[in-house]
Amino acid sequence: MPSDADTINLTHHFLIAMPGLEDASFARSVVYLCEHSPRGALGLVINKPTDINLGKLFDKVDLPLGREELAATPVLQGGPVQTERGFVLHEAVVAEGGDPAESVYASTMTIPGGLEMTTSKDVLEAIATGAGPRRLLVTLGYSAWGEGQLESELAENSWLTVSADPAVIFDTPIEQRYEKALSLLGLQAWMLSPHAGRA
């Protein structure tokens, strides 16, 4: 078991799939890690669109979409766990005069680095009224790793890691997010070998 000095915390980091990672859920994926602790990790894939958009999703949950500019935004495959549940990654929303450490939504994980991940329907209800977080990403499902699992995948060179940049999540077209995340490391896809090596 690694000592505490060896533990890494990749919360608010991107995991970028190496070319050798052929798992269908994760090939060429960029995962935003919402939480990473000795108990495991939880994240959302930010670059795999589903065939439904937010307009259809809001129809499905019987809510009007009060922000027309979001209607065509694709819902993403956040990962292989709980694929029938929605997860909303968004900028922090603080109630007027409220405590900045407390989210305005019922079930929200506050992520160090300024983002929040909400699983309660009230965030969708806020968007339905034309309010809600200004910048957001909606996924169905999430990605999870048990204790030590992510660390062993990192040791096998399955992933590159880099501090997350919200601009990649919210401002970059989905099909460009893999390349954009790599560019944060000064890399391009052609530079990566599909074969893991040990120096």
Side-chain angles (χ1 to χ4, degrees), residues 71-88:
T73 303
V75 174
L76 302 178
Q77 298 169 8
V81 186
Q82 291 192 349
T83 52
E84 71 296 335
R85 275 192 71 190
F87 298 82
V88 183

Side-chain angles (χ1 to χ4, degrees), residues 18-89:
M18 287 290 281
L21 186 60
E22 290 168 0
D23 177 299
S25 299
F26 294 116
R28 277 190 69 85
S29 68
V30 180
V31 180
Y32 174 75
L33 279 184
C34 302
E35 185 176 48
H36 183 212
S37 74
R39 294 187 313 277
L42 180 153
L44 301 173
V45 177
I46 63 162
N47 67 330
K48 296 213 177 247
T50 65
D51 54 6
I52 68 167
N53 59 30
L54 287 181
K56 284 188 192 157
L57 179 73
F58 273 70
D59 284 347
K60 245 180 159 162
V61 293
D62 292 324
L63 286 172
L65 180 51
R67 289 165 60 188
E68 201 48 51
E69 79 279 6
L70 295 176
T73 303
V75 174
L76 302 178
Q77 298 169 8
V81 186
Q82 291 192 349
T83 52
E84 71 296 335
R85 275 192 71 190
F87 298 82
V88 183
L89 183 64

Side-chain angles (χ1 to χ4, degrees), residues 164-181:
D165 178 353
V168 176
I169 301 170
F170 300 120
D171 303 331
T172 305
I174 293 169
E175 66 281 0
Q176 294 172 24
R177 288 177 189 166
Y178 184 77
E179 300 286 348
K180 190 76 174 166

Side-chain angles (χ1 to χ4, degrees), residues 56-140:
K56 284 188 192 157
L57 179 73
F58 273 70
D59 284 347
K60 245 180 159 162
V61 293
D62 292 324
L63 286 172
L65 180 51
R67 289 165 60 188
E68 201 48 51
E69 79 279 6
L70 295 176
T73 303
V75 174
L76 302 178
Q77 298 169 8
V81 186
Q82 291 192 349
T83 52
E84 71 296 335
R85 275 192 71 190
F87 298 82
V88 183
L89 183 64
H90 56 87
E91 292 179 314
V93 178
V94 181
E96 215 169 298
D99 178 353
E102 269 179 42
S103 176
V104 296
Y105 305 115
S107 183
T108 294
M109 174 190 293
T110 300
I111 304 158
L115 299 183
E116 295 180 340
M117 194 263 286
T118 299
T119 55
S120 47
K121 193 175 176 183
D122 54 355
V123 68
L124 298 181
E125 289 163 351
I127 296 163
T129 67
R134 192 177 66 78
R135 302 202 301 171
L136 57 103
L137 172 143
V138 180
T139 74
L140 291 174

